[in-house]
Amino acid sequence: MRVKESRPVKSQRSASDALSGVVAVGLPPSVSNARNTSPFNAMSSWFSYVVDVSQRGAHFAHALVERGDRLLEDERAGLPLRLKFPYEVILDACDFDEPAGYSLLRILPDGDDCFERCEGRNSRPVIVFDPRAGHGPGIGGFKRDSEVGMALHQGHPVYFVAHHMQPCPEQTLARVHHALRRFVAEVIDRHPGERPTLYGNCQAGWAVALLAADCAGVTGPTVLNGAPLSYWGGDTGVNPMRLAGGLTGGVWAARLLADLSGGQFDGAWLAHNFEQLDPGHAYFGKYKALFAHPEAEQERFVEFERWWGEYCFLTRDEIVAIVENLFIGNRLEEGGFRICDCCHADLRQLKSPVLVFASSGDNITPPHQALGWVPAVWPTTEALIAGGQRIIYLLNPTVGHLGIFVSADVARREHRAILENLDALEKLSPGLYEMCIGESIDGAECPQPQYSVSFESRRVEDLPTTSKTAAFERVREQSEQIDALYRHTLGPWARLVGGPLLASALKWAHPMRTSRLGWAHAFNPFANGVDLAAAWAGNRRAPVSADNPWAVAEARSMDVLSGLFDDWRRKRDASNETLFATLYQHQGDEVEVSE
């Protein structure tokens, strides 16, 4: 099997060529044809378009104002949890002897007929672990059609592990690991004889993998959704995030930001890094969709931005350990990630079946990073079988990273199929399998399986691997050297300057916040005018027809601009690849080959 990053088929003409064509012709054919109609029709089309654009612009601006207001309200309320389901708090790790900013929640049915009818049908508990990757918790239950919702549909007792927006003082990864282990023990005590399924999302995946290895034999299947465990994996020119550590000099940058903020690292920087992977979408694409259909998109846009625009904090100790051991060190798959004196990363200790759900359209956690650890731990299929382990992978060909967690279609298909087949995973013989989801079953009622599923035997040798590591080894060595230099020179001064006042200033001056909160009524002197304009647009809405030549020209122009963003991103990524190779690749190194 060759797992490659899929790219949509594009026209041979680049966006720059398309723009040149538009400029050369003057106007798209649809607009040019308007000249052949009567002056009255041409003027009518233009007037209708101007009214439509004005009204859409008013709704667009109002959505941005509403987004800013909602984010400010949530900040004042302490950034509440983004779960769409009622819950009760079972354990709060802040009360432990070694406190950590995490809570164990029990999800409650909310009156939905299907949830009530299915409750108790499956006795195996499911524990969903949300990622702590800069944003607040709740993505696993962000919608009713979600991992949490599908587990409730299947009748499982559902638990949710949520991190707090602020860490406890002196919080470390060791404290977090011990708190999560205690959460699992609590769920096991509440359901005697049942082995819970651990559901790890994104950056929670490596934490769940370590937890499953540490709790070998007492947990059920482990499901890793878009979870990176091999941080050096990826294709040249396709997955630029793996180069970021080398191009920024290593861990010292994260340590500096935490030092300046009084010992805490702002998760907005992690979200900013994610947005830089696809700046065309972050700075233009999502706004283009909102501007094109503001009435239909406004609620979805504001609700998603309430989660995307709210950022948690990590302690300096945590972010340094994560960057040092994972993003740059890649020590997880190597077994060199020591959590504490009694716990270290040894993925060979995994005994329960592991299901890896990845997507070829995911540019944050590509299949190489989601699956590359398997051949690193078990180099051959025979070694995997001899170790008595079962690894199953499920690939989506197109969905992006966030779609793995928030797409309703993915929840109804992939996540539902996974949850329907948890028992089947444990019945598999040791080896590697691909989970294949067939067509939906006609006439199947809610409690019954909705999809036909098969598990096809595969070879470990066919999984994606990255043969070249010399350059990344040099990144790790340089990171350690620069970090040591920083800690003995600039570090003490940064910690001396850093304090509550500077930390607050850096938080509110971060562009990920100012770009959103700056539209709120509290900061925007024109917000009341936007409200009046939106009220006018709503009362007199006159959408233009789809075949209006000026609307067609607008759509084509927007596509050209999107293409220009894509062209710029590709050139930027190619330049970064060249710079990385110049800095870290030496003559005689093996050429990077993805299999």
Side-chain angles (χ1 to χ4, degrees), residues 29 51 87 134 149 202 326 345 380 429 454 511:
V51 172
Y87 61 87
C202 188
L326 301 177
T380 65
S429 301
S454 62

Side-chain angles (χ1 to χ4, degrees), residues 258-278:
D259 286 343
L260 292 175
S261 295
Q264 289 194 337
F265 180 83
D266 189 352
W269 290 109
L270 297 176
H272 179 265
N273 287 341
F274 294 146
E275 288 204 342
Q276 296 314 299
L277 284 173
D278 190 359

Side-chain angles (χ1 to χ4, degrees), residues 139-283:
I139 193 170
F142 185 70
K143 300 177 179 179
R144 297 184 64 80
D145 286 332
S146 60
E147 300 160 359
V148 169
M150 291 302 105
L152 290 174
H153 270 298
Q154 294 301 306
H156 293 278
V158 183
Y159 295 83
F160 192 88
V161 175
H163 62 81
H164 299 177
M165 299 302 286
Q166 289 286 343
C168 292
E170 300 180 3
Q171 182 170 304
T172 63
L173 292 185
R175 287 189 181 183
V176 171
H177 178 75
H178 294 153
L180 299 184
R181 187 166 58 180
R182 184 168 168 182
F183 289 170
V184 173
E186 175 68 20
V187 173
I188 292 174
D189 289 343
R190 286 170 167 262
H191 302 273
E194 294 291 342
R195 300 195 303 165
T197 293
L198 309 183
Y199 225 83
N201 293 323
C202 188
Q203 291 297 330
W206 59 264
V208 168
L210 294 181
L211 194 61
D214 200 22
C215 302
V218 299
T219 60
T222 300
V223 181
L224 306 179
N225 301 304
L229 270 68
S230 297
Y231 287 84
W232 290 351
D235 271 337
T236 300
V238 178
N239 304 119
M241 181 171 278
R242 75 197 200 288
L243 310 179
L247 297 178
T248 57
V251 72
W252 78 276
R255 192 188 295 274
L256 170 63
L257 291 172
D259 286 343
L260 292 175
S261 295
Q264 289 194 337
F265 180 83
D266 189 352
W269 290 109
L270 297 176
H272 179 265
N273 287 341
F274 294 146
E275 288 204 342
Q276 296 314 299
L277 284 173
D278 190 359
H281 175 74
Y283 303 133

Side-chain angles (χ1 to χ4, degrees), residues 87 98 106 133 146 186 188 201 311-312 387 390-391 526 545:
Y87 61 87
E98 292 186 342
R106 170 72 184 266
S146 60
E186 175 68 20
I188 292 174
N201 293 323
Y311 312 110
C312 67
R390 294 141 292 174
I391 304 294
F526 303 104
S545 62

Side-chain angles (χ1 to χ4, degrees), residues 306-379:
R306 291 183 75 181
W307 174 78
W308 184 254
E310 298 176 352
Y311 312 110
C312 67
F313 283 79
L314 296 84
T315 65
R316 174 175 47 223
D317 210 32
E318 287 180 300
I319 190 62
V320 167
I322 291 172
V323 174
E324 203 170 46
N325 289 285
L326 301 177
F327 297 160
I328 293 176
N330 196 43
R331 292 190 173 97
L332 182 59
E333 69 173 26
E334 299 172 353
F337 184 7
R338 182 166 293 278
I339 303 171
C340 62
D341 293 337
C342 62
C343 302
H344 73 279
D346 187 357
L347 298 179
R348 291 172 298 178
Q349 296 300 317
L350 287 168
K351 299 304 178 185
S352 299
V354 178
L355 190 149
V356 178
F357 177 26
S359 171
S360 296
D362 186 349
N363 63 346
I364 294 178
T365 304
H368 304 77
Q369 294 186 8
L371 286 166
W373 63 278
V374 178
V377 177
W378 298 282

Side-chain angles (χ1 to χ4, degrees), residues 95-134:
D95 300 328
F96 292 177
D97 292 338
E98 292 186 342
Y102 281 79
S103 295
L104 174 66
L105 315 176
R106 170 72 184 266
I107 305 298
L108 305 173
D110 59 355
D112 182 278
D113 291 340
C114 182
F115 293 169
E116 298 288 352
R117 186 169 63 252
C118 296
E119 186 178 10
R121 181 172 175 269
N122 288 306
S123 58
R124 182 195 295 274
V126 173
I127 311 176
V128 178
F129 294 77
D130 237 26
R132 190 155 165 249

